[in-house]
Amino acid sequence: MPKVMIIECMQEISSFNPLPSHYENFHIERGEEIYAQRGLNTAIGGALQVFETQPDLSVVPVIAARAGSAGPLSGQGWQRLSEEILEAVENRLSGVDAIYFSLHGAMGAQTELDPEGHLLAEIRRMAGPNVPIVISLDLHGILTDKMLRQVDGLAIYHTYPHVDFADTGERAARLLVRLLEGKSRPVVARVVIPALVRGDELITRTGCYGDLIRECQRLERDGTALAAGIMIGNPFTDVPELCSQVLVMTDGDQETAKREAERIAHEFWPQRFRMQGKLIPLDRAIAQARTIEGPVVFTDAADATSSGATGDSHIILKALRDAGYSKRVLVQIVDPDAAAAAHKAGVGATVNVSLGGFYDKQRFEPMRVRAEVKLLSDGNSRLETMKIGLAAGPTAVLAFDNFTVVVFSRSISLFDRAMYYSNGLDPEDFDLIVVKSPHTEYHMYDGWVEKNFNVDAPGATSANLKSLGHTVCARPMYPLDEGVAFTAAARIYER
């Protein structure tokens, strides 16, 4: 009976976040603990649905390490994490016939700029040349040359905001089963595009990027390709191979893979202008929000914890207070000291605390507030879509004037409403809601608010990409440089 090994290592980082992440940031499932992902909307959850319906196949669950987006992983943290993963693989590798590896693709460590490539190269060395390895990736990942030289197949997210986690795992698993049966000889064409993109046109339901992704899906569905996708990288992960890229994988047909990858890349390149963040000055957004009767969202994509920011920006909160905005405002912020002070004081107490600038002190100077402690919690919740856990640490709801602020002790992903709901708050009860994510699923906010303002603010994940200060990625790169030229030229990978 063929044995399939399951591994996972997922984290997305911002190189511009001054706070490094550590081994302790990772939630690690070892061995059969991985089965906790059964039925969840995760890549492993989807893969298990395929593998466990194959009567002549057995699963070897090894290790799954997942961390929220943050700053670069510390050197010590990377050493401990990588050694643990590779040791776990080596201990269970005997008799394994195939490997499924769930990755994000936008990791980065202080001592290793291509963590996924390192792990894949070491696993390939241990497994030998004949064991098929298939990976799944976030479309915000950076698929490197080193990674591609180790793998036999891949599957890439097709949605943003992401909802197809399990679907991507299923596609990867079906491909791996096909390889085990000897039915395919994958060949991958890769076209690197020197462009970093951001903004509303990346929403796959409505944007021009989604139109191109649907071409990739068509190639998969009509059998032209075994897999196809457009990876746009994470523009905040400043590593040597940061880029956008088109991947087309066919069954032994180099010419088709090359032709289709180059065609889609040629279609992508003229759209790069549209795929940039459309930001509104904060003072203008506030002035317009005053005159709008219905609720509005202020998107603080520059402090998006799901993209690797610290979450401790108070820029919007302070600007609203200074401008005398009088309607009901709901905000989230990371500030361990403020949360601790609230827990010490207790519900109903009044506290004098500083908010903001706890980690990113160069960008944000703390603001003093006198607030009532309305609610205290342990900061635990579950993401709306994926249903995986969130752990923000001791959390407090503070209220002052017309502002309600949810204060966390730790940075967590804030791309849905989970942490508002879990702390007794419904965004629909407020006039202005701050969302620290570049985008959310349509029904969460955009489906019912009058206007979503994508405000121009400083932060480690600002859509104003020129403001960040890239020093490592290949240059020239649009929009960091002027006059960037591009001709689509596919490189072929075949093992």
Side-chain angles (χ1 to χ4, degrees):
M1 180 178 289
K3 295 180 179 180
V4 174
M5 175 180 284
I6 293 180
I7 322 163
E8 182 171 69
C9 184
M10 297 190 74
Q11 187 184 32
E12 180 179 32
I13 67 102
S14 170
S15 303
F16 310 105
N17 181 336
L19 178 69
S21 54
H22 301 280
Y23 174 87
E24 290 74 20
N25 287 66
F26 284 81
H27 170 73
I28 300 180
E29 295 166 336
R30 299 172 178 86
E32 294 193 356
E33 292 174 349
I34 289 174
Y35 290 131
Q37 296 194 47
R38 279 187 180 124
L40 297 184
N41 186 17
T42 66
I44 285 182
L48 286 172
Q49 285 187 316
V50 173
F51 293 144
E52 294 187 331
T53 58
Q54 301 291 318
D56 57 347
L57 186 151
S58 65
V59 172
V60 182
V62 174
I63 189 167
R66 179 190 294 266
S69 301
L73 183 58
S74 68
Q76 184 179 14
W78 164 243
Q79 181 177 355
R80 182 177 175 187
L81 179 68
S82 59
E83 288 178 354
E84 181 174 351
I85 290 172
L86 294 174
E87 182 180 356
V89 170
E90 187 172 27
N91 289 342
R92 302 291 302 278
L93 195 55
S94 177
V96 164
D97 300 283
I99 297 171
Y100 166 56
F101 201 166
S102 168
L103 296 165
H104 182 283
M107 281 188 76
Q110 292 176 332
T111 53
E112 174 58 70
L113 294 180
D114 186 7
E116 294 94 340
H118 173 80
L119 291 174
L120 283 167
E122 288 300 301
I123 290 169
R124 172 57 70 196
R125 179 185 60 79
M126 291 188 285
N130 299 322
V131 174
I133 300 174
V134 171
I135 60 176
S136 58
L137 293 157
D138 191 311
L139 57 81
H140 290 108
I142 298 123
L143 182 59
T144 66
D145 173 77
K146 188 174 186 178
M147 294 168 68
L148 278 164
R149 286 188 281 110
Q150 318 307 322
V151 303
D152 299 271
L154 51 85
I156 303 166
Y157 295 178
H158 282 153
T159 64
Y160 176 70
H162 308 311
V163 294
D164 63 336
F165 307 101
D167 175 77
T168 305
E170 288 178 21
R171 286 185 281 124
R174 287 195 295 268
L175 174 62
L176 192 55
V177 169
R178 185 168 174 157
L179 294 181
L180 271 172
E181 294 172 348
K183 294 180 179 179
S184 295
R185 185 171 58 85
V187 56
V188 177
R190 176 199 191 206
V191 179
V192 172
I193 305 171
L196 307 181
V197 294
R198 204 69 176 161
D200 292 343
E201 288 294 335
L202 300 181
I203 299 174
T204 50
R205 186 180 63 86
T206 57
C208 62
Y209 174 60
D211 294 336
L212 296 175
I213 289 289
R214 278 181 278 280
E215 261 301 276
C216 296
Q217 292 175 306
R218 192 267 300 173
L219 294 177
E220 290 189 7
R221 290 167 180 164
D222 69 11
T224 301
L226 295 173
I230 306 169
M231 297 181 69
I232 52 176
N234 177 35
F236 318 115
T237 307
D238 189 18
V239 293
E241 292 188 53
L242 174 63
C243 64
S244 297
Q245 57 184 307
V246 178
L247 290 307
V248 176
M249 181 175 66
T250 61
D251 189 355
D253 187 345
Q254 287 192 17
E255 286 305 311
T256 296
K258 180 177 184 294
R259 181 185 68 249
E260 293 299 326
E262 291 178 351
R263 175 180 67 84
I264 293 172
H266 274 302
E267 293 181 13
F268 181 98
W269 180 246
Q271 310 271 19
R272 70 192 184 282
F273 301 103
R274 296 175 62 187
M275 298 184 205
Q276 298 300 313
K278 311 300 190 296
L279 302 175
I280 183 171
L282 182 51
D283 58 350
R284 179 175 294 186
I286 294 172
Q288 292 184 15
R290 290 183 197 274
T291 68
I292 295 175
E293 185 175 343
V296 299
V297 159
F298 274 26
T299 290
D300 189 4
D303 196 36
T305 50
S306 57
S307 301
T310 47
D312 62 340
S313 170
H314 60 10
I315 295 295
I316 293 176
L317 174 63
K318 186 175 185 300
L320 289 166
R321 187 182 69 170
D322 292 350
Y325 181 85
S326 60
K327 298 181 183 180
R328 298 165 299 174
V329 178
L330 180 60
V331 183
Q332 301 181 86
I333 197 166
V334 176
D335 197 308
D337 280 357
H343 274 258
K344 183 178 180 180
V347 173
T350 298
V351 292
N352 293 294
V353 295
S354 293
L355 290 178
F358 186 87
Y359 295 118
D360 201 339
K361 299 183 186 303
Q362 288 191 336
R363 290 188 176 98
F364 316 122
E365 183 178 345
M367 61 179 284
R368 295 291 295 176
V369 301
R370 182 175 175 83
E372 181 185 353
V373 181
K374 304 294 287 186
L375 181 143
L376 299 172
S377 77
D378 59 8
N380 292 330
S381 186
R382 292 198 309 164
L383 288 169
E384 288 186 71
T385 298
M386 300 176 71
K387 306 301 182 187
I388 62 174
L390 293 170
T395 295
V397 177
L398 302 182
F400 60 95
D401 302 328
N402 54 311
F403 299 96
T404 300
V405 185
V406 186
V407 185
F408 309 115
S409 294
R410 290 195 290 269
S411 298
I412 47 149
S413 293
L414 298 173
F415 54 75
D416 63 10
R417 301 162 297 186
M419 294 307 295
Y420 282 142
Y421 288 154
S422 295
N423 287 280
L425 299 164
D426 186 344
E428 294 193 41
D429 292 335
F430 293 82
D431 300 297
L432 190 154
I433 307 99
V434 174
V435 177
K436 293 199 174 192
S437 173
H439 298 102
T440 63
E441 291 179 48
Y442 179 77
H443 69 276
M444 293 178 181
Y445 292 101
D446 291 323
W448 53 271
V449 300
E450 196 73 23
K451 172 66 178 174
N452 187 335
F453 293 94
N454 192 3
V455 300
D456 191 3
T461 56
S462 170
N464 182 358
L465 301 181
K466 287 185 177 182
S467 72
L468 294 171
H470 291 77
T471 59
V472 180
C473 71
R475 307 294 282 267
M477 180 72 66
Y478 176 84
L480 307 182
D481 304 298
E482 301 295 330
V484 182
F486 170 68
T487 300
R491 178 173 179 178
I492 300 297
Y493 293 83
E494 186 173 13
R495 292 194 70 260

